[in-house]
């Protein structure tokens, strides 16, 4: 999820063994999935449409068309439903956000709630029933079979209901379903079972005569209750075991993630530190870089751009990034405090460059006195950045002419962009650079 | 960093003593009893080794604890003057220790004072223990000298704000989207804000005093006032703020 460059090589294990399992490297050949998003019945049509790159409505029409051919469409549909797993692939790009069903659960939950009425599905089901009735009414299969059609359709509807239920259960593995959905689930399951029972009962009644209806129904009910009594506790236990196992698996996954990260970064750093034990500067640099990295990894909230490849877009990001880079390059600890935050614009960008230059100077000339302190604050429209070191300090009025860094990169850059830069000696020793800049007007 | 003797710094007048970095500042005559609460034994050992030489630092570690229950027991039994308290602890965290030691904290005879010492710099952790009654917060990267210093400062009843904590506090009080419930408490004065800002910029008390032309005592009282406001402030958004954004 987070670390694409996870190495699975464990020291001592032959490389070939790990290479044999290229789990997530190449995309597997596109597999057919039923779509769980925006489906009407089983998601077969949507899944197929996505797979073939066709509009959903075409696929649906084809199914309906085949349906009129002696119910072939229904059989096909049922077969697809049975054999094709429910997945997130194969949805057409109609609703881009819904493609990420596997991702964050709060997002998914929201979407599930929003779709609760499921109007499309209800309409589709009703339509199916009507079509089936018409079909039953029109098709002539011969005297004997004709009578069995209605019970068969009833049973089919029940089976469909229960299957959908199974699909939902499977989907619940990706997105947590709220507690209120549970009762609905139960109701649907019961309705499905009743429908199937009715259908099967119908078949038996037809074989005998209408007079046996009562006793057959009783028998069916008795069998049903018996089965429930026998299998019920077992099923409940199984579901509990399953959910427990799922939880364990998620934990194990998380653990593996942390372990991978620790292996990748922390262990490597510790190894490097052991090798460089007699070089305190290098050790300190490594340790600080590692600390920063781990801290970011641990404390950064989920979903706020954990991938660090992209450019910083806010002041706080930019300040931290700059400080980290200067710290790594010059081996001087830089402590950053940021109050408030704002998006970067071109003026603030210039200020960031000036601040970076100030940090470099502080690290170069004042780094012996201890950590460099960087403080950034956004107050209204003003962005203030201070960089201070505890080095020997120097007289700001007598900046040598060759100190282009200060004159051009800091003072000049700030002034060209409409800000101010101030250098001064701090009472307690050291130098402080103060940079002040107004943010660009939003309206202009 | 160079913040050695703010206790005897009168109006920040003694420039001559400035560069001399006397560890603990006149350690000979001072003595403080400390309890270490941290669930990492390695860390306790390290801190013990760094500050535990009583003759040099004036700090005597009288007890250690690794979780909340142990901490409460040890603190009650030994009655130290200062407790170095980790934020993350098994059994409810530092906040829980503070809650259960509330009586000891308000003891008028010999109050137990808490200094949060944490590797976490998630704002809600930090603000949480401060609001729970800790007198200050320092990160675990602090040097031994500075730590000893902070311990004495806390013992004397002063607050210890690291630059990072100052930043958190400024941020918390700056985000005024809702009107404060109690005007007096929920607003930092201009002066307090200035002092906090300078702390956040890495200034020592003495330097702040010089910068603002006030005495070190005044700086101390400003910092204590901020701490009090932070602990007593009934602004709900402080907590909300802390959970909403995790500043690092």
């Amino acid at each position: 999820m987070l670390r694409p460059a996870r190495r699975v090589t464990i020291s001592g294990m032959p490389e070939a063994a790990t290479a044999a399992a290229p789990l997530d490297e190449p995309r597997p050949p596109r597999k057919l999935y039923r779509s769980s998003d925006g489906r009407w019945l089983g998601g077969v049509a949507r899944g197929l449409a996505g797979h073939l790159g066709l509009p959903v409505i075409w696929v649906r029409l084809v199914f309906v068309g085949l349906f009129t051919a002696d119910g072939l469409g229904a059989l096909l549909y049922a077969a697809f439903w049975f054999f094709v797993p429910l997945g997130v692939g194969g949805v057409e790009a109609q609703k881009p956000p819904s493609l990420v069903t596997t991702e964050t659960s709060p997002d998914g939950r929201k979407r599930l709630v929003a779709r609760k009425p499921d109007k499309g599905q209800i309409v589709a089901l009703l339509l199916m029933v009507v079509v089936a009735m018409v079909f039953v009414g029109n098709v002539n299969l011969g005297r004997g079979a004709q009578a069995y059609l209605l019970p068969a359709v009833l049973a089919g509807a029940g089976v469909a209901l229960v299957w959908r239920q199974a699909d939902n259960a499977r989907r619940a593995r990706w997105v947590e379903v709220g507690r209120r959905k549970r009762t609905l689930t139960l109701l649907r399951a019961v309705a499905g079972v009743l429908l199937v029972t009715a259908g099967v009962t119908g078949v038996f009644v037809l074989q005998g005569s209408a007079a046996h209806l009562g006793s057959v129904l009783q028998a069916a009910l008795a069998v049903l209750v018996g089965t429930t009594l026998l299998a019920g506790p077992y099923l409940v236990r199984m579901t509990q075991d399953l959910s427990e196992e799922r939880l364990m698996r998620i934990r194990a996954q998380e653990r593996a993630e942390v372990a991978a990260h620790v292996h990748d970064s922390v262990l490597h750093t510790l190894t490097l530190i052991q090798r460089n034990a007699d070089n305190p500067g290098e050790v300190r640099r490594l340790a600080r870089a590692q600390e920063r990295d781990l801290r970011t990894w641990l404390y950064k909230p989920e979903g706020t751009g954990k991938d660090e490849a992209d450019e910083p877009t806010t002041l706080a990001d930019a300040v931290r990034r700059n400080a980290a880079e200067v710290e790594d390059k010059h081996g001087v600890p830089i402590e950053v405090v940021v109050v408030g935050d704002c998006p970067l614009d071109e003026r603030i960008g210039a200020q960031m460059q000036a601040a970076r230059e100030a940090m470099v100077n502080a690290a170069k000339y004042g780094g012996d006195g201890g950590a460099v302190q960087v403080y950034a604050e956004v107050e209204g429209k003003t962005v203030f950045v201070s960089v201070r070191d505890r080095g020997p300090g120097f007289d700001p009025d007598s900046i040598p002419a060759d100190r282009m860094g200060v004159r051009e990169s800091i003072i000049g850059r700030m002034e060209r962009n409409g800000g101010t830069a101030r250098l001064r000696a701090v009472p307690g020793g050291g130098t402080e650079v103060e940079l002040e800049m107004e943010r660009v007007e939003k309206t202009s | 960093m160079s913040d050695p003797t703010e206790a005897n710094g009168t109006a920040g007048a003694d420039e001559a003593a400035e560069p001399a970095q006397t560890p603990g500042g006149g350690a000979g005559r001072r003595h403080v009893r400390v309890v270490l609460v941290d669930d990492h034994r390695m860390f306790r050992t390290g801190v013990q080794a760094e500050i535990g030489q009583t003759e040099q630092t004036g700090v005597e570690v009288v007890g250690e604890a690794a979780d909340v229950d142990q901490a409460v027991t040890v603190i009650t039994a030994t009655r130290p003057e200062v407790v170095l308290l980790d934020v993350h602890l098994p059994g409810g965290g530092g906040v829980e220790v503070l809650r259960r030691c509330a009586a000891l904290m308000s003891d008028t005879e010999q109050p137990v004072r808490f200094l949060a010492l944490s590797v976490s710099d998630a704002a809600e952790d930090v603000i949480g223990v401060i609001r729970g009654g800790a007198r200050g917060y320092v990160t675990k990267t602090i040097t031994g000298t500075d730590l000893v210093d902070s311990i004495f400062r806390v013992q004397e009843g002063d607050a210890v704000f690291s630059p990072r904590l100052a930043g958190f506090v400024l941020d918390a009080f700056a985000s005024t989207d809702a009107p404060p419930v109690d005007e007096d408490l929920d607003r930092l004065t201009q002066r307090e804000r200035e002092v906090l800002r300078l702390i956040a910029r890495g200034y020592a008390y003495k330097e702040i005093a010089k910068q603002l032309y006030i005495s070190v005592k005044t700086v101390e009282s400003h910092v204590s006032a901020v701490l009090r406001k932070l602990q007593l402030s009934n602004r709900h958004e402080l907590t909300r703020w802390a959970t909403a954004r995790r500043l690092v």
Side-chain angles (χ1 to χ4, degrees):
Chain A
M1 178 167 62
L2 320 160
R3 297 263 138 187
R6 184 195 302 174
R7 239 147 285 142
V8 207
T9 10
I10 298 157
S11 52
M13 189 183 270
E15 190 77 19
T18 48
L23 273 176
D24 39 17
E25 293 301 318
R27 278 265 140 154
R30 287 212 317 170
K31 214 177 156 191
L32 178 60
Y33 284 111
R34 284 184 292 119
S35 156
S36 70
D37 279 298
R39 58 179 176 170
W40 279 7
L41 204 58
V44 172
R46 263 190 96 79
L48 264 179
H51 190 68
L52 301 172
L54 296 171
V56 191
I57 190 72
W58 288 17
V59 183
R60 285 190 177 134
L61 281 177
V62 167
F63 270 118
V64 170
L66 286 174
F67 186 72
T68 55
D70 277 354
L72 180 62
L75 273 179
L76 259 180
Y77 197 97
F80 269 118
W81 197 346
F82 192 79
F83 288 112
V84 177
L86 187 67
V88 281
V91 191
E92 63 171 10
Q94 199 174 23
K95 286 186 270 175
S98 63
L99 282 170
V100 289
T101 327
T102 42
E103 294 290 326
T104 50
S105 69
D107 188 14
R109 188 176 300 160
K110 211 181 285 164
R111 230 173 331 102
L112 264 185
V113 169
R115 255 191 325 162
K116 220 170 108 198
D118 273 357
K119 270 191 197 139
Q121 295 179 8
I122 293 168
V123 169
L125 270 177
L126 284 178
L127 260 178
M128 289 290 291
V129 171
V130 169
V131 170
M133 294 301 183
V134 172
F135 176 71
V136 171
N138 288 348
V139 175
N140 197 350
L141 288 173
R143 283 136 270 114
Q146 180 83 6
Y148 289 105
L149 251 175
L150 190 66
V153 166
L154 268 183
V159 169
L161 254 182
V162 174
W163 278 8
R164 281 279 323 219
Q165 202 51 58
D167 281 356
N168 279 355
R170 190 178 274 192
R171 191 174 56 186
R173 220 177 271 177
W174 309 326
V175 281
E176 273 177 54
V177 181
R179 210 147 252 287
R180 278 155 73 218
K181 273 222 135 179
R182 291 272 170 85
T183 43
L184 194 69
T185 307
L186 207 68
L187 274 179
R188 285 176 64 161
V190 169
V193 170
L194 282 180
L195 273 176
V196 173
T197 318
V200 173
T201 314
V203 172
F204 279 106
V205 168
L206 285 168
Q207 275 182 349
S209 76
H212 294 133
L213 177 67
S215 50
V216 169
L217 251 181
Q218 267 181 7
L221 264 178
V223 168
L224 196 66
V225 168
T227 318
T228 317
L229 279 179
L230 280 176
Y234 174 72
L235 279 176
V236 167
R237 173 88 62 81
M238 204 166 71
T239 347
Q240 280 170 349
D241 284 358
L242 266 178
S243 66
E244 195 170 315
E245 190 218 295
R246 193 184 310 156
L247 203 72
M248 300 294 274
R249 206 172 42 230
I250 291 171
R251 281 215 194 107
Q253 229 165 41
E254 246 160 43
R255 230 184 90 84
E257 183 112 28
V258 174
H261 186 79
V262 169
H263 176 264
D264 265 15
S265 50
V266 181
L267 285 188
H268 284 176
T269 308
L270 286 177
T271 316
L272 281 176
I273 284 177
Q274 284 175 27
R275 285 212 188 118
N276 290 289
D278 45 353
N279 183 352
E282 180 68 7
V283 166
R284 219 172 288 134
R285 192 187 69 74
L286 283 168
R288 282 194 67 87
Q290 186 52 57
E291 185 207 328
R292 200 176 45 235
D293 176 58
L294 199 58
R295 208 175 268 291
T296 320
W297 195 74
L298 286 176
Y299 294 124
K300 217 170 192 181
E302 204 71 33
T304 54
K306 271 205 176 186
D307 42 338
E308 49 254 75
D310 50 355
E311 283 291 297
T313 53
T314 67
L315 173 85
D317 272 357
V319 171
R320 289 201 190 96
R321 186 82 54 96
N322 279 331
E325 281 166 17
V326 175
E327 184 176 288
D328 280 350
K329 200 164 165 201
H330 296 273
V332 174
I334 298 185
E335 283 169 12
V336 182
V337 174
V338 183
V339 172
D341 203 354
C342 70
L344 286 180
D345 56 42
E346 70 246 47
R347 283 195 209 161
I348 307 302
Q351 188 183 21
M352 288 302 101
Q353 286 173 320
R356 189 196 170 99
E357 196 60 34
M359 289 181 216
V360 170
N361 270 344
K364 265 195 206 156
Y365 302 107
D368 304 332
V372 173
Q373 304 271 354
V374 176
Y375 173 71
E377 183 181 9
V378 182
E379 200 184 28
K381 298 182 51 56
T382 314
V383 177
F384 172 83
V385 178
S386 131
V387 178
R388 71 158 294 175
D389 61 64
R390 291 183 176 274
F394 68 97
D395 184 0
D397 297 325
S398 65
I399 306 169
D402 61 320
R403 290 284 290 274
M404 286 297 283
V406 172
R407 218 186 276 286
E408 270 310 303
S409 299
I410 300 179
I411 302 176
R413 181 175 277 145
M414 288 301 285
E415 279 168 2
R416 275 197 300 278
N417 286 279
T420 53
R422 228 152 54 90
L423 271 84
R424 59 202 193 90
V426 182
T431 313
E432 177 159 24
V433 180
E434 295 176 339
L435 309 169
E436 215 171 310
M437 184 74 85
E438 296 277 316
R439 286 158 66 191
V440 178
E441 293 273 352
K442 256 188 200 153
T443 45
S444 68
Chain B
M1 192 57 217
S2 68
D3 189 12
T5 54
E6 67 288 328
N8 53 18
T10 47
D14 41 2
E15 278 97 339
E18 183 70 46
Q21 295 219 352
T22 46
R29 58 194 165 77
R30 297 199 289 180
H31 182 85
V32 60
R33 300 169 72 245
V34 172
V35 163
L36 273 177
V37 182
D38 195 301
D39 53 335
H40 294 102
R41 204 169 58 83
M42 282 262 284
F43 185 76
R44 289 203 306 271
T45 316
V47 172
Q48 165 81 280
E50 214 159 343
I51 67 171
Q53 287 88 27
T54 316
E55 313 84 56
Q56 288 156 41
T57 57
V59 175
E60 184 193 352
V61 179
V62 294
E64 291 182 14
D67 62 34
V68 171
D69 291 333
Q70 265 182 44
V72 176
T73 318
V74 171
I75 292 167
T76 320
T78 56
R79 290 305 290 267
E81 287 148 284
V82 177
V83 177
L84 286 182
L85 183 67
D86 191 13
V87 175
H88 291 290
L89 279 178
V95 179
E96 180 65 15
V97 177
L98 288 164
R99 203 181 57 76
R100 282 161 63 175
C101 291
L104 298 176
M105 268 192 275
S106 51
D107 188 301
T108 42
E109 283 285 298
Q110 194 206 15
V112 178
R113 293 193 166 112
F114 290 82
L115 175 61
L117 174 64
S118 174
V119 74
S120 157
D121 44 18
E124 69 264 35
D125 288 344
V126 176
I127 299 273
V129 281
I130 295 294
R131 277 172 75 79
R135 304 288 302 173
Y137 154 80
V138 290
T139 46
K140 283 184 174 173
T141 48
I142 193 171
T143 63
T145 322
D146 286 347
L147 183 56
V148 170
D149 221 49
S150 307
I151 291 172
F152 278 111
R153 217 196 277 173
V154 166
Q155 183 217 2
E156 281 147 19
D158 192 11
V160 174
F161 276 37
S162 67
R164 191 156 268 162
L165 176 57
F168 288 156
V169 174
L170 274 174
D171 213 356
F173 278 92
S175 57
T176 43
D177 12 343
V181 184
D182 184 342
E183 287 285 328
D184 285 341
L185 271 180
D186 293 337
R187 198 160 280 170
L188 297 181
T189 66
Q190 199 52 41
R191 214 33 157 191
E192 286 162 357
R193 204 172 277 271
E194 267 176 271
V195 169
L196 271 191
R197 234 178 235 141
L198 288 171
I199 292 176
R201 282 158 73 170
Y203 283 58
Y205 279 19
K206 190 179 278 182
E207 295 165 348
I208 295 171
K210 262 184 215 162
Q211 180 83 22
L212 300 177
Y213 303 106
I214 52 178
S215 74
V216 174
K217 277 271 166 280
T218 315
V219 176
E220 278 175 24
S221 70
H222 282 314
V223 173
S224 295
V226 172
L227 185 74
R228 190 172 49 84
K229 287 183 184 181
L230 192 57
Q231 286 170 349
L232 296 182
S233 171
N234 42 18
R235 284 162 39 125
H236 301 295
E237 64 262 39
L238 253 184
T239 343
R240 216 167 4 100
W241 163 87
T243 36
R245 51 197 301 183
R246 305 176 113 201
L247 298 170
V248 176

